């Protein structure tokens, strides 16, 4: 346990999950108090004689309320006293056997209803050893067809609507200890829902070297303070399909500009850009348009006569058409942002694409950058400056 104590101290960890401790229940209090004397602790000895999962936290910083526990997970509502964090954390240590592991997937499916927690409105983080992997490249060695365990794990991830938190460090997080023919796998991961990516949009996880363990420890960073930045100009398909698109582009392009050919070209492009930005503002927020159209239809239908009149039927059809149009535009936008293949999932498409957008942004975001001197920069301003300096040194400056 000296390694764990040193790890918590070195990485300044205030909330942790320990798995597979091999500590007997009667020794739990003594060992845990030695690891982190100021921590409060939870365990699952009531569900497994080995107490396979421990949760520890600095009680001066965190408030933790247990939602549900089993032999394979501890799920808690976690809040910081300063109000900077309020989320659900599920620490997982899945069974090795695929059949035994199914109880965990069922528990996770039912967590929201049984625990009385709305996991769509709260950030949710699932972390630990899942004892299963999601893709062939997450395991070395020969694979024998489609693995049932992999398929069931993948189905659970899709049903829960969670994705891997952006990570750095070790890809394979476990090895079997075999020196001559080692087997490496990605069994440990941190999964988060869309709300987590919305609230903690700069969060990430680092998988560190294994040390004395056969697993890589993971350290989650909630992120640095947000810096307001100007997003690059983008044209989305719903704007191209607008009835005034070609007219707006033509009017902006036809304006007379005096000067060299290059100056005229760049000036016209800027003019088109500003005109399309204005058109985009006129189109408005597509998500709000959908919500408003849905509410209008619901309000109208709730006041319909038992036998609707002809005029009411006409009005209802108009409202349905309005909602359908809004949903189509929103779907077009989200599909383009998510950059994934179309899936025929009916009315649930937009939520699926919205989560995909969040997941893609989480994967692509750049949270730190190391310069030529080995200094790691984490703010948006320093990262952009370092990138510009690197490419300036690489290609030079144009006269």
């Amino acid at each position: 346990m000296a390694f764990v104590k040193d790890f918590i101290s070195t990485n300044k960890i205030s909330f942790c999950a320990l798995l597979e401790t091999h500590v007997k229940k009667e020794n739990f209090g003594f060992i845990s108090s030695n690891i982190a004397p100021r921590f409060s602790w939870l365990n699952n000895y009531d569900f497994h004689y080995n107490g396979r999962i421990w949760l520890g936290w600095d009680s001066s910083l965190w408030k933790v309320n247990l939602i549900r526990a089993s032999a394979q997970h501890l799920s808690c509502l976690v809040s910081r006293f300063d109000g900077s964090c309020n989320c659900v954390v599920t620490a997982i240590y899945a069974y090795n056997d695929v059949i035994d592991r199914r109880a965990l997937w069922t528990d996770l499916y039912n967590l929201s209803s049984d625990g009385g927690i709305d996991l769509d409105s709260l950030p949710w983080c699932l972390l630990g050893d899942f004892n299963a992997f999601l893709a062939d490249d997450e395991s070395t060695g020969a694979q024998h067809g489609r693995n049932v365990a992999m398929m069931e794990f993948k189905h659970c991830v899709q049903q829960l609507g969670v994705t891997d938190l952006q990570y750095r460090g070790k890809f394979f997080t476990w090895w079997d200890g075999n020196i001559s023919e080692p087997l490496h796998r990605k069994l440990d991961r941190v999964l988060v829902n869309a709300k987590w990516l919305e609230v903690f949009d700069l969060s990430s996880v680092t998988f560190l070297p294994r040390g004395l363990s056969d697993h890589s420890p993971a350290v989650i960073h909630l992120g640095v303070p947000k810096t307001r930045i100007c997003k690059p100009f983008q044209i989305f398909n719903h704007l191209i399909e607008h009835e005034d698109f070609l007219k707006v582009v033509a009017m902006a392009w036809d304006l007379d500009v005096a000067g060299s050919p290059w100056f005229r070209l760049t000036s016209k492009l800027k003019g088109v850009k500003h005109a399309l930005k204005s058109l985009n503002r006129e189109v408005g927020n597509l998500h709000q348009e959908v919500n408003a159209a849905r509410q209008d239809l619901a309000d109208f239908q709730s006041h319909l006569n038992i036998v609707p009149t002809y005029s009411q039927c006409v009005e209802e059809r108009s409202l349905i058409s309005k909602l359908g149009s809004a949903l189509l535009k929103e779907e077009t936008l989200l599909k383009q942002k998510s950059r994934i293949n179309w899936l025929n999932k009916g009315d649930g498409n937009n939520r699926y694409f919205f989560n995909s957008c969040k997941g893609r942004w989480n994967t692509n975001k750049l949270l730190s950058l190391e310069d030529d001197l080995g200094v790691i920069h984490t703010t948006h301003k320093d990262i952009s400056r370092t990138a510009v300096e690197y490419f300036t040194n690489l290609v030079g400056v144009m006269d």
Side-chain angles (χ1 to χ4, degrees):
M1 289 300 168
F3 171 78
V4 178
K5 181 176 183 177
D6 181 64
F7 183 84
I8 291 175
S9 175
T10 301
N11 291 280
K12 296 180 174 58
I13 291 173
S14 60
F15 184 97
C16 69
L18 306 181
L19 311 179
E20 200 177 4
T21 61
H22 297 298
V23 174
K24 294 181 178 179
K25 185 175 183 179
E26 54 267 28
N27 297 327
F28 165 74
F30 174 76
I31 298 294
S32 61
S33 63
N34 273 290
I35 291 174
R38 295 184 295 107
F39 275 27
S40 298
W41 294 89
L42 272 177
N43 61 68
N44 66 339
Y45 283 104
D46 291 341
F47 300 90
H48 195 281
Y49 68 94
N50 257 349
R52 307 171 79 244
I53 307 171
W54 294 9
L55 280 181
W57 64 93
D58 186 337
S59 54
S60 68
L61 300 175
W62 298 95
K63 179 182 178 182
V64 177
N65 293 318
L66 181 65
I67 300 172
R68 186 178 177 124
S70 76
Q72 300 185 80
H73 79 93
L74 283 174
S75 295
C76 304
L77 184 62
V78 179
S79 308
R80 262 187 90 97
F81 287 117
D82 64 5
S84 61
C85 179
N86 185 39
C87 61
V88 175
V89 174
T90 297
I92 290 174
Y93 182 27
Y95 282 132
N96 291 324
D97 183 78
V98 62
I99 297 177
D100 293 337
R101 202 155 50 236
R102 288 170 183 166
L104 171 62
W105 309 146
T106 301
D107 256 4
L108 296 179
Y109 296 146
N110 297 333
L111 184 60
S112 180
S113 57
D114 293 352
I117 299 294
D118 182 5
L119 292 175
D120 286 333
S121 63
L122 279 173
W124 186 20
C125 175
L126 302 90
L127 54 91
D129 178 3
F130 291 83
N131 261 313
F133 49 92
L134 288 173
D136 288 338
D137 63 355
E138 294 183 352
S139 175
T140 61
Q143 302 298 313
H144 305 288
R146 291 307 79 204
N147 188 311
V148 172
M150 184 173 72
M151 294 298 102
E152 291 184 353
F153 183 26
K154 185 177 294 186
H155 177 75
C156 178
V157 168
Q158 291 172 345
Q159 290 294 107
L160 297 178
V162 295
T163 186
D164 279 303
L165 182 62
Q166 187 194 72
Y167 62 88
R168 59 176 73 98
K170 301 298 180 181
F171 177 74
F172 293 115
T173 64
W174 171 85
W175 82 305
D176 63 350
N178 189 327
I179 297 176
S180 58
E181 296 181 5
L183 178 63
H184 297 271
R185 285 180 172 173
K186 184 174 181 60
L187 301 181
D188 309 89
R189 59 205 322 140
V190 177
L191 300 171
V192 294
N193 66 353
K195 192 65 177 180
W196 178 283
L197 296 177
E198 177 185 331
V199 175
F200 307 116
D201 56 343
L202 296 178
S203 60
S204 65
V205 58
T206 303
F207 289 99
L208 301 173
R210 292 188 303 272
L212 302 177
S213 175
D214 54 352
H215 288 266
S216 293
V219 177
I220 298 174
H221 312 270
L222 290 182
V224 296
K226 294 182 180 180
T227 302
R228 185 174 179 83
I229 59 175
C230 295
K231 296 182 180 180
F233 175 67
Q234 292 176 288
I235 299 178
F236 292 105
N237 290 338
H238 76 278
L239 203 61
I240 296 175
E241 295 168 0
H242 193 279
E243 58 183 5
D244 292 333
F245 176 78
L246 292 178
K247 182 173 67 175
V248 167
V249 172
M251 288 178 62
W253 189 263
D254 288 342
L255 291 177
D256 290 331
V257 179
S260 67
W262 179 252
F263 177 78
R264 291 170 58 198
L265 174 63
T266 55
S267 297
K268 285 176 176 288
L269 288 174
K270 287 180 181 179
V272 171
K273 173 182 173 180
H274 291 311
L276 289 177
K277 280 187 172 182
S278 297
L279 178 61
N280 190 51
R281 284 193 291 269
E282 291 177 13
V283 170
N285 188 305
L286 298 185
H287 309 306
Q288 292 178 1
E289 182 180 343
V290 167
N291 291 334
R294 183 179 285 118
Q295 188 61 50
D296 288 344
L297 178 60
D299 291 342
F300 181 81
Q301 290 177 333
S302 64
H303 294 92
L304 277 175
N305 297 338
I306 297 176
V307 179
T309 64
Y310 173 78
S311 61
Q312 285 179 324
C313 291
V314 172
E315 179 67 17
E316 182 182 25
R317 179 173 295 181
S318 174
L319 292 172
I320 290 174
S321 176
K322 181 180 177 183
L323 175 58
S325 176
L327 283 169
L328 182 60
K329 287 190 290 185
E330 182 192 48
E331 195 170 79
T332 300
L333 171 65
L334 293 176
K335 182 183 177 183
Q336 186 178 359
K337 280 188 173 182
S338 65
R339 294 181 185 174
I340 59 174
N341 293 326
W342 174 262
L343 291 182
N344 185 18
K345 296 170 75 83
D347 195 41
N349 273 334
N350 288 9
R351 179 178 178 184
Y352 172 77
F353 286 125
F354 179 75
N355 290 341
S356 298
C357 292
K358 287 289 185 181
R360 186 171 63 85
W361 190 89
N362 164 64
T363 302
N364 294 338
K365 64 189 176 185
L366 189 64
L367 299 177
S368 64
L369 193 64
E370 183 177 348
D371 64 20
D372 294 334
L373 300 177
V375 179
I376 297 177
H377 303 280
T378 56
T379 67
H380 175 78
K381 182 178 180 180
D382 289 340
I383 289 174
S384 59
R385 176 180 51 79
T386 302
V388 170
E389 289 177 354
Y390 172 79
F391 286 105
T392 300
N393 294 334
L394 186 65
V395 302
V397 180
M398 294 181 63
D399 295 330

